[in-house]
Amino acid sequence: MFSNIGIPGLILILVIALIIFGPSKLPEIGRAFGRTLSEFKSATNDLVSSDTKEEVKKPALTAVKKEG
């Protein structure tokens, strides 16, 4: 998705963001974006690790011979 932007496109986006939000808000927005990404990453890692733990914990089903 972002592979076609290039350096001039990134500079243009940063300049537009600076004009819209101002220099005082940009660090705050960057921190919030970083926290959001790290929270998303940790949540996905927790989901993946819980799935693998559940697979390990599941006991193997065995057939029981019924006498009677």
Side-chain angles (χ1 to χ4, degrees):
M1 181 176 158
F2 292 109
S3 62
N4 295 333
I5 290 178
I7 299 296
L10 288 176
I11 292 172
L12 181 65
I13 290 171
L14 288 174
V15 168
I16 291 172
L18 184 62
I19 291 170
I20 292 173
F21 297 112
S24 61
K25 287 283 186 181
L26 282 182
E28 191 176 316
I29 292 170
R31 269 186 242 112
F33 184 70
R35 277 190 229 119
T36 303
L37 283 180
S38 64
E39 187 174 327
F40 178 75
K41 184 177 178 182
S42 68
T44 55
N45 285 339
D46 289 343
L47 285 174
V48 169
S49 66
S50 68
D51 285 345
T52 56
K53 287 179 184 176
E54 286 178 8
E55 289 174 4
V56 171
K57 288 182 181 178
K58 289 181 183 176
L61 296 177
T62 58
V64 177
K65 187 175 182 182
K66 195 173 189 181
E67 293 182 29

